[in-house]
Amino acid sequence: MKTPLVLTAIVKPIQLTDEEQKSNLLNWITGISQLAGIYLILENNFTSKQIKDALYLAKALEFIHSLKLNNLAVHLGYTNTEAFLYSIANPDSVSIGVYENLRSFGIKRFKNLEKGQMRGPNPRIYSGALLQWIDYGYLGAIQKIYSKWGTLFEESKYKPLMFTPSFQWHFQKPELYKHSFSVFANQITELPPDLSTRTNKVASLINTARTTFNEPTDAGIFLDPDSDGSHLSFWLTAISLYKKYLAEAGL
Amino acid sequence: MKFKSEAEMSKCFRNFFVPKAKNAGIYWVEELEGLFGVPDYVFLKLAGESVLYVVALELKLRNWKREPRQAFKYRNFSNESYLVLDKPHVAAAYKNIDEFKRANIGLATLHKSGKLEVIFVPRPTIPFSLDFSYRMLQKYYKRTTNLFPKNLKELPSLVFHRSLRGRVMFQALMPRA
């Protein structure tokens, strides 16, 4: 039996958003007859921790969908929380990195490594209810101001340790990531297999996350743009754009 | 007259405010890095082993919209946190004073003459995070070792207060508009 051939493709944002470049890339990929699938890595040049570009996200969904239409297996790599959103285009697998720099692929990470001192990111904790990684610097405020703070962070066997006063927060602490994988796996498992139902479910969870952000915000917690829910409206718009694309294509 | 840069604003603040703080026995440190954000100034009222009161300040020419978020972070280790704007730019922030109230962040203005006016005084609170409070103090002592030859390992025995006495001393320095 022949081993299926899977091609790794690193796709730049312009190759998703520019129709001509997208067509050229799709033509090239689909022109390789032996291919069984694509290990798709979407280059992420965004400055924010979450992707806040609805058009880009919609085009990424369209791209995944186009590959699937051509009977190619799609394995998405280097994703962050948006993996949840990408699931509506029915990729065969989605891999999520552990550290921040493994949850978004950027060429810049491989450049200028010798220049200056590299600084680790602030540690963050994943909240499934908020679909966001919250900077640990806000945990004190959240715990002091928002009485229902426990509902924001789902239970996992790692959570109690993270919330002990002696826990030394550092981005390399494995509990942060084991907790996120545990919570995220539960969220992914709950997604329905039917694509239309799944899309509605994902949209509903994003909407719920937006609403969930309101209470701590109204209580007086001022989160910065990398910890707040500002990405969620872009994700909802991306779903609408993707639905429109499917409708126009008669799919 | 507007400040030309934040550096000029900071210099003005240092020249006019810091000597008054010193006279009141309040210690200060500028640009304290390695916390949650980098406060432009942190003022501390200490009494022996105890921290009586901490006020953090963020100086900005404008762009109030982002800065209350920045000043909010300093509540991790301070009893009061303020955004200090260049006086000619305060109108936009004043229109949204409710945001400052909701975040419990003080709003003040600095005039080129050196006059500091407080527009909104926040409620004094215990810092959100003991961890950040100790870290701030460690960094403060590290920066000022000449004044405070202190064994950093002893810091966990220090006590953080929300002292009325500490607050009164700050209020005398920061007149309401």
Side-chain angles (χ1 to χ4, degrees), chain A residues 122 135-138 140-141 144-145 217-218 220-224 228, chain B residues 36 68-69 72-73 75-76 99 102-103 126-129 131-132 135:
Chain A
N122 281 357
D135 193 312
Y136 89 113
Y138 288 114
K144 286 251 164 67
I145 294 179
T217 306
D218 291 346
I221 296 166
F222 275 56
L223 300 168
D224 67 27
D228 69 8
Chain B
F36 193 31
R69 292 173 195 273
F72 181 80
K73 293 179 177 181
R75 287 185 60 194
N76 265 333
E99 289 291 284
R102 198 157 61 84
I126 296 284
F128 289 143
S129 164
D131 180 38
F132 275 104
R135 208 182 300 177

Side-chain angles (χ1 to χ4, degrees), chain A residues 116-137:
Chain A
Q117 203 184 349
M118 294 288 281
R119 205 175 139 257
N122 281 357
R124 288 171 181 270
I125 178 170
Y126 180 67
S127 163
L130 299 172
L131 291 171
Q132 178 62 298
W133 290 79
I134 307 291
D135 193 312
Y136 89 113

Side-chain angles (χ1 to χ4, degrees), chain A residues 41-103:
Chain A
I41 296 171
L42 302 172
E43 192 179 325
N44 181 336
N45 292 326
F46 298 102
T47 50
S48 55
K49 304 268 181 199
Q50 297 283 4
I51 301 174
K52 300 180 188 182
D53 184 332
L55 185 65
Y56 168 85
L57 288 165
K59 293 292 177 186
L61 291 167
E62 287 178 26
F63 193 78
I64 298 164
H65 182 257
S66 300
L67 292 170
K68 292 290 293 175
L69 277 182
N70 283 282
N71 294 320
L72 289 164
V74 178
H75 304 282
L76 267 170
Y78 276 87
T79 63
N80 190 8
T81 328
E82 72 279 1
F84 199 60
L85 178 65
Y86 290 151
S87 74
I88 69 172
N90 204 24
D92 295 80
S93 72
V94 179
S95 70
I96 301 166
V98 177
Y99 299 121
E100 245 170 52
N101 60 1
L102 301 177
R103 279 184 266 125

Side-chain angles (χ1 to χ4, degrees), chain B residues 42-54:
Chain B
V42 177
F43 291 91
L44 303 98
K45 182 64 190 169
L46 305 170
E49 290 290 282
S50 296
V51 180
L52 293 186
Y53 215 73
V54 178

Side-chain angles (χ1 to χ4, degrees), chain B residues 129-140:
Chain B
S129 164
L130 199 57
D131 180 38
F132 275 104
S133 298
Y134 282 134
R135 208 182 300 177
M136 178 276 294
L137 212 53
Q138 273 183 327
K139 288 178 183 299
Y140 167 72

Side-chain angles (χ1 to χ4, degrees), chain B residues 113-159:
Chain B
S113 64
K115 191 179 177 191
L116 183 82
E117 285 181 333
V118 178
I119 291 166
F120 171 64
V121 182
R123 273 176 292 110
T125 52
I126 296 284
F128 289 143
S129 164
L130 199 57
D131 180 38
F132 275 104
S133 298
Y134 282 134
R135 208 182 300 177
M136 178 276 294
L137 212 53
Q138 273 183 327
K139 288 178 183 299
Y140 167 72
Y141 279 128
K142 208 169 181 179
R143 186 82 78 80
T144 56
T145 41
N146 292 337
L147 288 171
F148 296 92
K150 199 158 186 63
N151 180 1
L152 293 181
K153 284 181 186 167
E154 289 173 11
L155 284 179
S157 65
L158 287 173
V159 183

